[in-house]
Amino acid sequence: MNRPQRFLPSFLLGIILLAIPMPAHAGNDPDVRLKTVVIDPGHGGRDAGCVSRDRKTYEKNLTLAISKKLSELIGEKYPDVRVILTRTDDTFVELEGRARKANDARADLFISIHINAQDGGTNANGYSIHCLGQSSRKGNDLFSKNFDLCKRENSVIRLEKDYTTQYEGFDPSDDESYIFFSLIQNSNLERSLQFAQDVNSAMKGGAIRHSRGVSQDPFWVLWRTTMPAVLIECGFISNPADLEVLRSEKGIGNIAGNIMDAFIA
């Protein structure tokens, strides 16, 4: 018996199209541009994130300050670009909620801001930029693990009435249905890496000069977004030199300005 012809479900096609970003400005066409960016200040509320050794500085406050400054800089230079923050004050936001906010806004770029720390030490310093991908540390297949997770989470679709029509042939138990999600990840990875490399280059001349490089790692918030996305560790709160920069208004402005230079690029 011939197998029925399979078509790309339209809702998946829509996700793929949304995952392909436009440049900030293309030629003289004002309608072709990056339209929405979501900035994600890490942690918040009851989740303080990393804390300085003297217990006076919290990651959640630093990430919010950097994010707000970056939002301000983008707004000044590109007033037509919509800038959304996943939080604007000291509130707790779930990881899923951060990604959902970006997806619902149909963002073209997702930037998650964080501060690093070294357990039990002060030597580690510098910034790093992370994209979704196979973990360079563990050498495991992140995509394979994500597919197993997707199958389990999506199995609830079968409980919905007439799910085969509602989801246009998408079968949560069929490997072939997930091929298109792999295409989305690969499409976003290329663009995410390009922006990550721009951030890495821009921050080299900043107040925190040491680059720990660009890497691919399994951050949940990056996986759940459907657009190019990066997570930036702006420095080490456990390192005295980095902390001095992070505690100063000038340092915050410098870091935000570096990321803005990458955004412009």
Side-chain angles (χ1 to χ4, degrees), residues 38-80:
V38 170
I39 303 172
D40 173 43
H43 308 280
R46 63 179 182 271
D47 176 16
C50 300
V51 182
S52 62
R53 293 172 66 86
D54 62 9
R55 315 298 295 179
K56 294 181 179 180
T57 304
Y58 302 118
E59 178 183 2
K60 65 177 183 178
N61 297 329
L62 298 177
T63 60
L64 184 59
I66 295 170
S67 297
K68 283 186 172 181
K69 184 60 179 178
L70 177 58
S71 174
E72 176 186 325
L73 293 174
I74 294 175
E76 290 174 353
K77 187 169 183 64
Y78 300 110
D80 294 336

Side-chain angles (χ1 to χ4, degrees), residues 10-249:
S10 61
F11 85 96
L12 284 178
L13 177 59
I15 293 175
I16 291 173
L17 292 176
L18 286 174
I20 302 175
M22 294 295 183
H25 292 280
N28 296 319
D29 185 351
D31 295 325
V32 181
R33 65 180 66 206
L34 185 151
K35 296 180 179 179
T36 303
V37 57
V38 170
I39 303 172
D40 173 43
H43 308 280
R46 63 179 182 271
D47 176 16
C50 300
V51 182
S52 62
R53 293 172 66 86
D54 62 9
R55 315 298 295 179
K56 294 181 179 180
T57 304
Y58 302 118
E59 178 183 2
K60 65 177 183 178
N61 297 329
L62 298 177
T63 60
L64 184 59
I66 295 170
S67 297
K68 283 186 172 181
K69 184 60 179 178
L70 177 58
S71 174
E72 176 186 325
L73 293 174
I74 294 175
E76 290 174 353
K77 187 169 183 64
Y78 300 110
D80 294 336
V81 172
R82 183 167 60 137
V83 183
I84 299 172
L85 274 70
T86 57
R87 66 180 179 94
T88 57
D89 55 19
D90 186 20
T91 56
F92 176 77
V93 183
E94 295 179 349
L95 289 181
E96 180 72 14
R98 296 171 189 268
R100 187 186 307 115
K101 193 164 189 175
N103 295 340
D104 289 347
R106 298 190 175 186
D108 304 296
L109 180 64
F110 181 84
I111 306 172
S112 190
I113 304 295
H114 287 258
I115 307 297
N116 214 334
Q118 180 184 18
D119 292 336
T122 61
N123 291 332
N125 71 311
Y127 62 89
S128 58
I129 306 95
H130 305 264
C131 302
L132 176 67
Q134 179 172 313
S135 173
S136 57
R137 290 189 297 271
K138 297 180 181 179
N140 56 12
D141 187 349
L142 173 65
F143 296 152
S144 176
K145 286 190 174 181
N146 283 344
F147 288 153
D148 291 340
L149 176 61
C150 283
K151 286 181 179 179
R152 185 175 71 249
E153 296 288 356
N154 289 335
S155 63
V156 70
I157 290 173
R158 290 183 174 275
L159 300 178
E160 299 184 26
K161 183 178 179 180
D162 197 18
Y163 77 90
T164 55
T165 300
Q166 176 71 16
Y167 292 91
E168 303 180 33
F170 176 74
D171 184 348
S173 65
D174 186 352
D175 289 348
E176 291 186 23
S177 290
Y178 289 87
I179 292 174
F180 307 113
F181 286 101
S182 180
L183 293 174
I184 293 169
Q185 287 179 318
N186 290 337
S187 173
N188 286 337
L189 176 59
E190 179 181 354
R191 292 162 176 79
S192 299
L193 283 171
Q194 180 60 63
F195 180 64
Q197 289 162 1
D198 288 339
V199 173
N200 187 47
S201 297
M203 292 187 73
K204 283 182 179 177
I208 296 179
R209 297 180 179 276
H210 176 58
S211 169
R212 302 175 71 87
V214 175
S215 63
Q216 299 176 44
D217 295 289
F219 287 99
W220 174 273
V221 73
L222 297 182
W223 170 60
R224 298 294 281 183
T225 54
T226 58
M227 72 287 303
V230 299
L231 186 147
I232 306 171
E233 297 280 2
C234 297
F236 275 77
I237 202 171
S238 53
N239 179 270
D242 282 10
L243 181 58
E244 183 178 358
V245 173
L246 293 166
R247 277 177 169 168
S248 70
E249 184 176 349

Side-chain angles (χ1 to χ4, degrees), residues 248-264:
S248 70
E249 184 176 349
K250 181 179 179 180
I252 293 294
N254 185 282
I255 293 170
N258 292 155
I259 301 172
M260 180 62 187
D261 288 341
F263 183 81
I264 294 171

